[in-house]
């Protein structure tokens, strides 16, 4: 009994592989990937409801017939089938096409009849009643999907821009709040520093005032001690009195001798001075002994 791979190879006719009316519910991706020569595949009249994402890895496909299945959508990366030229989707349940459909730049033929397409896509696709209309459908739909993708990208960019702006505004607000908190902390720190400096200045002023008060009190006490201290009586030593008396007697003797000498020799100029000194000594003795 031949294997499944051999069965597919047996069905291969040149580059065409007919898998129509095979009751397929899934597409044998691995088996098809092993047949790169099969560029034209007919999957019509099966029971397919969806295509796996790996279907988009069959980039060698040029013509695909998926008509009369129950497909509700195509894989999101259908645009990766860059070599695809012919796509038949007649009689499925497709409403919209994936965004990547605009990448099918080589698509020349497309049939979307008998699908519950949305109104805009149905209008763009047309009736597809003949080969010419199917070719026009391929061109119009690819162009339409390109516009849709462009609009989608534009909206996406606008949303991204708005999101960035919201994030920037949020970051700016957070930064503003951080700056405000920072300023508040700095202001509180400055206030506490000023209060501390004011307290220190007040304490220093109090210390200076206390020191001044102490110095003033000491000055008043010293002044009071000077005023209350009694004057000590002046005492003269007997030896000093004897010396002074002897000295005065000697001076008097000299003056008296000079006085008598000048009485006899009155014309000498020095005698005038001696007489003057003798009178001073006489007044001094008189004052001293009078006390």
């Amino acid at each position: 009994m031949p294997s499944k791979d051999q069965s597919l190879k047996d069905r291969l006719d040149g580059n065409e592989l007919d898998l129509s009316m095979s009751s397929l519910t899934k597409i044998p991706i691995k088996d098809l990937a092993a047949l790169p020569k099969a560029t034209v595949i007919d999957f019509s009249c099966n029971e397919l409801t969806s295509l796996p994402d790996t279907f988009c890895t069959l980039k060698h496909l040029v013509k695909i017939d998926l008509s009369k299945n129950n497909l509700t959508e195509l894989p999101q990366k259908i645009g990766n089938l860059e070599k695809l030229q012919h796509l038949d989707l007649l009689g499925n349940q497709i409403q919209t096409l994936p965004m990547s459909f605009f990448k099918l730049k080589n698509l020349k033929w497309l049939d979307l009849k008998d699908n519950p397409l949305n109104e805009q896509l149905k209008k763009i696709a047309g009736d597809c009643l003949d080969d010419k209309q199917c070719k026009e459908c391929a061109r119009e739909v690819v162009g339409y999907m390109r516009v849709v993708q462009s609009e989608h990208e534009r909206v996406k960019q606008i949303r991204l821009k708005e999101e960035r702006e919201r994030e920037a505004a949020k970051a700016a607000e957070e930064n503003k709040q951080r700056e405000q908190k920072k300023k508040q902390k700095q202001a509180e720190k400055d206030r506490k520093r000023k209060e501390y400096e004011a307290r220190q200045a007040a304490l220093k002023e109090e210390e200076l005032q206390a020191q001044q008060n102490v110095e003033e009190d000491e000055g008043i006490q010293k002044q009071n001690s000077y005023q209350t201290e009694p004057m000590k009586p002046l005492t003269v030593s007997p030896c000093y009195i004897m010396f002074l008396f002897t000295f005065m007697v000697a001076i008097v003797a000299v003056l008296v001798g000079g006085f008598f000498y000048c009485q006899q020799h009155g014309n000498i100029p020095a005698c005038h001075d001696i007489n003057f000194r003798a009178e001073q000594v006489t007044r001094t003795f008189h004052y001293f002994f009078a006390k």
Side-chain angles (χ1 to χ4, degrees):
M1 181 176 180
S3 66
K4 189 175 181 180
D5 289 343
Q6 291 174 337
S7 177
L8 289 180
K9 289 180 180 180
D10 291 341
R11 290 190 178 190
L12 184 61
D13 183 8
N15 65 336
E16 297 182 7
L17 179 61
D18 187 1
L19 295 178
S20 64
M21 295 180 291
S22 300
S23 300
L24 293 176
T25 58
K26 294 182 180 181
I27 293 181
I29 301 297
K30 292 182 179 181
D31 298 333
L32 295 176
L35 295 173
K37 291 183 179 181
T39 59
V40 177
I41 303 179
D42 186 356
F43 295 107
S44 64
C45 302
N46 280 290
E47 300 175 4
L48 300 172
T49 58
S50 64
L51 301 177
D53 292 336
T54 52
F55 182 80
C56 301
T57 62
L58 303 176
K59 296 183 179 182
H60 60 281
L61 297 180
V62 175
K63 182 178 179 179
I64 305 174
D65 188 350
L66 289 164
S67 62
K68 298 182 180 180
N69 280 277
N70 292 308
L71 296 174
T72 57
E73 61 181 4
L74 298 179
Q76 292 298 318
K77 296 182 180 181
I78 191 70
N80 290 346
L81 302 180
E82 299 173 351
K83 295 181 180 181
L84 187 62
Q85 299 179 15
H86 184 110
L87 179 60
D88 193 344
L89 295 171
L90 168 70
N92 283 278
Q93 300 299 316
I94 296 174
Q95 298 182 15
T96 60
L97 297 175
M99 200 69 63
S100 66
F101 200 88
F102 81 97
K103 294 181 179 181
L104 299 176
K105 298 179 181 180
N106 292 315
L107 189 65
K108 307 298 181 183
W109 196 96
L110 175 63
D111 190 353
L112 287 171
K113 286 193 308 294
D114 298 332
N115 279 281
L117 302 174
N118 63 55
E119 291 299 325
Q120 185 63 27
L121 184 58
K122 183 177 181 180
K123 182 178 178 180
I124 297 297
D127 296 330
C128 296
L129 297 177
D130 53 30
D131 188 69
K132 181 179 178 181
Q133 289 183 355
C134 288
K135 289 181 179 179
E136 185 177 352
C137 175
R139 183 176 64 255
E140 293 296 329
V141 169
V142 171
Y144 168 72
M145 293 307 299
R146 184 180 295 109
V147 173
V148 171
Q149 192 277 335
S150 178
E151 179 63 18
H152 175 77
E153 186 65 24
R154 187 184 69 83
V155 172
K156 180 180 178 181
Q157 292 301 321
I158 291 175
R159 290 177 178 174
L160 287 175
K161 182 180 179 182
E162 291 175 350
E163 181 65 23
R164 286 194 294 267
E165 289 176 351
R166 285 194 296 268
E167 291 178 355
K170 182 179 179 182
E173 182 63 23
E174 291 176 351
N175 186 58
K176 181 180 179 181
Q177 292 178 359
R178 284 195 298 269
E179 289 296 325
Q180 288 178 349
K181 289 182 180 179
K182 185 177 179 181
K183 289 181 179 179
Q184 290 175 355
K185 289 182 179 180
Q186 186 63 39
E188 182 67 15
K189 185 177 180 180
D190 293 341
R191 183 185 65 79
K192 290 182 179 180
R193 183 186 293 110
K194 289 180 180 179
E195 290 179 354
Y196 173 77
E197 292 176 351
R199 289 195 299 269
Q200 293 299 315
L203 290 174
K204 187 175 182 181
E205 183 66 23
E206 291 177 359
E207 291 177 356
L208 291 175
Q209 186 63 39
Q211 185 176 357
Q212 290 178 358
N213 293 337
V214 171
E215 291 177 353
E216 290 177 359
D217 291 343
E218 290 178 351
I220 292 173
Q221 291 177 0
K222 287 182 180 180
Q223 185 177 2
N224 293 337
S225 64
Y226 291 150
Q227 292 177 355
T228 57
E229 185 177 357
M231 295 294 292
K232 294 181 180 180
L234 181 63
T235 57
V236 180
S237 174
C239 294
Y240 175 75
I241 295 174
M242 182 61 67
F243 170 76
L244 182 61
F245 178 76
T246 304
F247 179 73
M248 294 297 292
V249 170
I251 292 175
V252 170
V254 172
L255 291 175
V256 170
F259 176 76
F260 284 108
Y261 178 80
C262 289
Q263 289 293 328
Q264 296 178 1
H265 306 83
N267 295 327
I268 298 174
C271 290
H272 296 291
D273 184 61
I274 291 173
N275 292 332
F276 176 74
R277 299 295 180 185
E279 291 177 1
Q280 287 184 336
V281 171
T282 301
R283 286 196 296 270
T284 300
F285 266 95
H286 182 270
Y287 175 78
F288 181 77
F289 288 105
K291 290 185 176 182

